[in-house]
Amino acid sequence: TMSEWNALAYDTGYSFVWKHGIGVLDMLNPQPDERILDLGCGTGHLTHQISQAGAEVVGIDSAPDMIDAARRAYPHLRFEVADAADYVADAPFDAVFSNAALHWMRPPSRIAAHIAAALKPGGRLVAEMGGHGNIQAILDALYPALRAVGYESPKELNPWYFPSIGEYAALLERDGLAARFATLFDRPTRLEGGEAGLRHWL
């Protein structure tokens, strides 16, 4: 479950996850005095960068270990342990930002509804997430391996949601969000850790 995230391992072994999000911040273009929600904030590094623009930012994540690490690193910022599927904002936001997190959040239709509800009229969602075909080579190898050790329906163990652009745009539009820009791009990423790298990642 998300509560089993290890914040130290995330920051040391998989820092590429949040570092790739720096480019998404350019699209967010946070402004002074804007109120911004960082959805799935992890250990808070991008939350902090958003705050550097003078925005009021709230970071939420369902993993207590991640939030504890974020609070230690950035005690002046507001972080909350919260599930995006249940989160209700205490005041509307100018923007919702999310990096490498939406593909973990279920059910996606409920997440989209909560994002829409959290935004002011005319507010914006700027997000990066795993898209259609993400980690497919790993899944193609993993499913037969799971079946070989006794799992009859290994796809049911898949915790991820990797939609196509059309699928996700339609989902957002059902809740009144207009999809203005979306792109699907390849980003090959080498797993660290030698022979045990895939084991640790899994």
Side-chain angles (χ1 to χ4, degrees), residues 39 60 62 82-88 105-115:
L39 190 64
I60 69 168
S62 65
D83 188 323
D86 301 317
Y87 181 73
V88 176
M105 301 181 191
R106 302 284 186 105
S109 58
R110 186 173 172 89
I111 303 302
H114 278 258
I115 290 172

Side-chain angles (χ1 to χ4, degrees), residues 28-183:
L28 177 66
N29 189 25
Q31 298 298 309
D33 301 322
E34 279 192 321
R35 182 172 156 80
I36 298 175
L37 175 66
D38 186 355
L39 190 64
C41 65
T43 50
H45 301 304
L46 295 178
T47 320
H48 170 67
Q49 293 203 26
I50 294 169
S51 75
Q52 296 293 95
E56 175 191 351
V57 61
V58 177
I60 69 168
D61 202 292
S62 65
D65 196 31
M66 294 289 209
I67 293 297
D68 287 346
R71 287 172 174 164
R72 284 193 303 273
Y74 307 108
H76 59 291
L77 296 180
R78 179 179 166 189
F79 295 99
E80 300 176 14
V81 176
D83 188 323
D86 301 317
Y87 181 73
V88 176
D90 53 10
F93 290 92
D94 296 286
V96 173
F97 173 82
S98 187
N99 178 68
L102 287 173
H103 54 261
W104 288 102
M105 301 181 191
R106 302 284 186 105
S109 58
R110 186 173 172 89
I111 303 302
H114 278 258
I115 290 172
L119 285 168
K120 294 177 180 178
R124 64 198 188 278
L125 165 66
V126 176
E128 184 276 349
M129 64 186 288
H132 184 69
N134 194 39
I135 66 164
Q136 194 60 51
I138 292 174
L139 295 177
D140 288 345
L142 183 60
Y143 291 152
L146 288 170
R147 277 192 291 272
V149 295
Y151 290 96
E152 293 182 6
S153 303
K155 289 185 179 182
E156 293 177 3
L157 300 174
N158 186 338
W160 302 291
Y161 169 65
F162 296 134
S164 67
I165 289 175
E167 178 184 352
Y168 205 66
L171 187 147
L172 294 174
E173 288 170 353
R174 281 199 296 270
D175 285 295
L177 298 171
R180 298 283 178 85
F181 173 79
T183 185

